[in-house]
Amino acid sequence: MNLLYKSTRSGDITVTASQAILKGLSSDGGLFVPTSIPKLDVSLKDLAGMSYQETAYEVMKLFLTDFTEEELKDCIKKAYDSKFDTEEIAPLVKADGAYFLELFHGATIAFKDMALSILPHLLITSARKNNVHNEIVILTATSGDTGKAALAGFADVKGTRIIVFYPKDGVSPIQEKQMVTQKGENTHVIGIKGNFDDAQTGVKNIFGDKELEKVMNDAGFQFSSANSINIGRLVPQIVYYVYSYAMLLKNEEIAEGEKINVVVPTGNFGNILAAYYAKNMGLPINKLICASNENKVLFDFFTTGTYDRNRDFVLTSSPSMDILISSNLERLIYKIAGSDAEKNKNLMDSLKTTGKYDITPEMKAELADFYGNFTSEEETAQTIKNLYEKTGYVIDTHTAVAANVYKKYAADTKDDTKTVIASTASPFKFTRSVMDAIDTKYDSMTDFELVDELSRISGVTVPQAIEEIRTAPVRHKTVCEVNEMTNEVKKFLGI
């Protein structure tokens, strides 16, 4: 069966998977969603005997139905190779009564590698399938991790260029160093004077600029996105939830069919949406636990049914979650609105004009799968310290937000279902916050002294991604105002 994709804002637009990947965002401003969520067609028992790559094929073939078996397997093979520092790709670590799904063993030590190592291959294959001869310009806003993972994925990929915007003062020192030292003649990194929401809105506005689209086309370019709004990002993320369940089954931690909970530290909502899709495919997931930091717009939404971005933006120690407009939530809103594009569009228009919207009681009832809570800065630090002192296991700030919310969930509900926590970044990416949490005596050390000390106390080798930026020269120095973003794009492309 050929699975098609439609826009969350229009009932008229239907495209193939490869067309959805190429476009990134629908021309009406909506996100592409599958016309139905396919069911897993292999048993959980069979999945338990598969490698990560084999699992990826079994999941992704159901969503990317216009890719041949050979094309899809080739993309998977190129993505999940020695770029990852473990054959398991996404190992499960049991600590303090939960299972941490380590999604940071790729080239840039954050979970974005899981999808962004395959997206360039999906994109190039999609362009070939649709006879696209324009050069593809990847345009992305990042809160810290997507940017570097996208840059690493697309660097020197023929037929592509990539432009990444990031909030100049809104990422960790290591995250910034990773981006501004990026090699590749086709890469361009720009700091903006604003926060992530400003960057994301600016990128969406550029995508929606019809005049610019025409100028680009005349010059032989077309835009696509590497943000989690691209369905080519979302589908690979479903894989690791299926894989984590299969690993629990293989390791005899659960019985076949036994339900698990999944906890995800959430900013843009894509990572937890992937878990929701996995549940809808038939994976035995009980609760989807949505963990927020002090920018708790999602916690408030799940609690009240009102999404309201009109609030102070808080810079936290978990910057990849410092987001007030969770773009991927639109896909869930569309679904709980009964796949009513008009209803969804009205809510999104309200968000754009007033900064808020209210869902109906009927829609709120559809959110029963979800539990939301948040973690304060103090609780985040305490969670890192407690886990380290109790087990010797060191987690990053984002994972700590999730681990703390899980504790709150367990206390609130007395639910003892076995639980997988998405561990979304290596502690080496946020060394200062992590080490300060463990002991304030580390405060006087430089960033790289902290890296070495973290390696010593955790017994974990310093990742290659960190080693290579110790002495790397800064290649990208551009900083601009939000209203200059379009001009910077034109300048880089020479149009």
Side-chain angles (χ1 to χ4, degrees):
M1 187 194 84
N2 210 21
L3 183 66
L4 295 173
Y5 289 79
K6 54 188 178 183
S7 167
T8 52
R9 298 191 192 180
S10 160
D12 311 330
I13 300 170
T14 322
V15 297
T16 62
S18 62
Q19 288 166 340
I21 289 168
L22 267 177
K23 284 174 76 70
L25 194 65
S26 174
S27 52
D28 58 13
L31 309 190
F32 288 113
V33 289
T35 48
S36 62
I37 296 178
K39 296 293 180 194
L40 285 167
D41 61 1
V42 287
S43 72
L44 298 168
K45 198 177 169 189
D46 285 346
L47 284 165
M50 292 184 190
S51 66
Y52 191 88
Q53 293 82 348
E54 289 164 338
T55 308
Y57 177 71
E58 293 301 335
V59 172
M60 292 173 68
K61 71 175 188 187
L62 302 172
F63 286 93
L64 310 182
T65 54
D66 64 328
F67 282 68
T68 66
E69 180 177 346
E70 187 186 359
E71 285 170 338
L72 188 50
K73 283 185 172 173
D74 183 56
C75 290
I76 290 166
K77 186 180 166 190
K78 285 175 178 166
Y80 304 111
D81 58 8
S82 59
K83 287 190 292 292
F84 288 81
D85 64 18
T86 168
E87 273 186 38
E88 289 172 288
I89 307 297
L92 266 180
V93 174
K94 191 175 184 180
D96 198 24
Y99 301 87
F100 289 82
L101 178 62
E102 293 189 343
L103 300 171
F104 52 75
H105 288 272
T108 74
I109 59 175
F111 84 99
K112 308 291 170 79
D113 290 323
M114 301 300 293
L116 282 164
S117 54
I118 193 167
L119 183 62
H121 305 294
L122 295 175
L123 202 57
I124 295 302
T125 306
S126 296
R128 215 168 36 235
K129 293 175 87 61
N130 290 278
N131 300 312
V132 169
H133 301 296
N134 279 348
E135 196 165 344
I136 294 163
V137 180
I138 303 298
L139 197 62
T140 288
T142 185
S143 53
D145 288 337
T146 286
K148 173 60 185 179
L151 288 161
F154 283 93
D156 293 324
V157 170
K158 244 179 120 176
T160 69
R161 297 199 198 183
I162 177 163
I163 304 168
V164 169
F165 291 98
Y166 75 96
K168 181 74 184 88
D169 298 315
V171 298
S172 82
I174 297 277
Q175 284 177 312
E176 182 171 47
K177 189 94 191 278
Q178 280 189 302
M179 286 189 280
V180 297
T181 57
Q182 177 65 49
K183 294 176 189 164
E185 289 309 305
N186 64 338
T187 66
H188 193 41
V189 180
I190 303 165
I192 65 147
K193 295 173 186 173
N195 60 37
F196 170 72
D197 287 331
D198 297 325
Q200 183 166 253
T201 301
V203 164
K204 280 185 175 177
N205 290 342
I206 294 170
F207 269 110
D209 187 334
K210 298 296 175 199
E211 208 175 301
L212 179 60
E213 187 181 350
K214 190 181 180 313
V215 171
M216 294 264 297
N217 191 50
D218 291 345
F221 297 110
Q222 73 183 61
F223 284 130
S224 190
S225 167
N227 274 81
S228 56
I229 52 173
N230 192 317
I231 201 73
R233 272 278 303 276
L234 188 62
V235 170
Q237 290 180 281
I238 301 167
V239 175
Y240 46 74
Y241 293 110
V242 176
Y243 181 72
S244 69
Y245 188 94
M247 288 302 96
L248 288 173
L249 194 54
K250 181 184 178 180
N251 298 337
E252 299 181 349
E253 298 283 349
I254 55 171
E256 191 173 359
E258 184 180 338
K259 288 194 169 183
I260 63 167
N261 292 328
V262 173
V263 192
V264 188
T266 308
N268 222 5
F269 206 74
N271 203 3
I272 196 164
L273 184 74
Y276 176 72
Y277 275 27
K279 176 173 172 132
N280 281 266
M281 291 181 80
L283 197 69
I285 293 174
N286 173 40
K287 273 287 182 205
L288 296 153
I289 299 167
C290 179
S292 300
N293 65 15
E294 288 183 4
N295 292 292
K296 56 189 181 65
V297 65
L298 286 166
F299 164 64
D300 292 340
F301 168 71
F302 282 116
T303 308
T304 65
T306 297
Y307 191 97
D308 186 356
R309 63 151 303 198
N310 301 310
R311 60 184 71 206
D312 290 337
F313 185 93
V314 186
L315 287 173
T316 73
S317 60
S318 46
S320 301
M321 298 160 66
D322 290 348
I323 292 170
L324 295 179
I325 303 174
S326 303
S327 287
N328 263 292
L329 185 64
E330 180 170 345
R331 286 185 166 113
L332 179 65
I333 297 298
Y334 172 79
K335 191 168 189 307
I336 64 173
S339 301
D340 184 330
E342 189 61 32
K343 204 169 176 181
N344 174 68
K345 184 180 183 300
N346 291 338
L347 293 172
M348 296 308 130
D349 286 346
S350 174
L351 181 65
K352 192 172 183 180
T353 54
T354 70
K356 62 186 283 194
Y357 59 79
D358 298 290
I359 60 172
T360 64
E362 293 77 23
M363 289 169 73
K364 193 166 185 296
E366 293 285 318
L367 298 175
D369 287 344
F370 291 89
Y371 166 94
N373 214 321
F374 77 101
T375 300
S376 70
E377 282 293 88
E378 198 180 326
E379 288 169 328
T380 300
Q382 200 58 51
T383 302
I384 293 169
K385 183 182 175 72
N386 290 350
L387 188 65
Y388 170 67
E389 288 179 349
K390 194 172 178 183
T391 66
Y393 187 56
V394 182
I395 55 174
D396 91 294
T397 45
H398 304 75
T399 308
V401 168
N404 181 260
V405 164
Y406 171 55
K407 292 276 189 232
K408 290 180 178 178
Y409 169 79
D412 284 353
T413 63
K414 307 293 180 276
D415 178 11
D416 61 359
T417 301
K418 286 173 184 137
T419 297
V420 168
I421 295 174
S423 186
T424 50
S426 164
F428 286 94
K429 204 152 192 172
F430 302 94
T431 43
R432 188 160 299 281
S433 298
V434 169
M435 296 302 279
D436 272 355
I438 290 170
D439 195 325
T440 51
K441 73 180 182 190
Y442 297 122
D443 206 32
S444 58
M445 290 184 174
T446 66
D447 286 325
F448 285 104
E449 283 171 344
L450 286 170
V451 163
D452 293 330
E453 184 63 11
L454 173 56
S455 175
R456 189 188 70 75
I457 68 162
S458 65
V460 176
T461 307
V462 176
Q464 185 56 35
I466 299 294
E467 288 294 3
E468 65 191 23
I469 62 169
R470 277 188 199 262
T471 54
V474 171
R475 300 181 74 248
H476 305 276
K477 296 174 183 173
T478 308
V479 179
C480 76
E481 301 287 348
V482 175
N483 61 6
E484 296 169 342
M485 288 169 66
T486 302
N487 285 341
E488 288 300 331
V489 169
K490 285 179 172 174
K491 207 186 291 179
F492 177 59
L493 299 177
I495 57 175

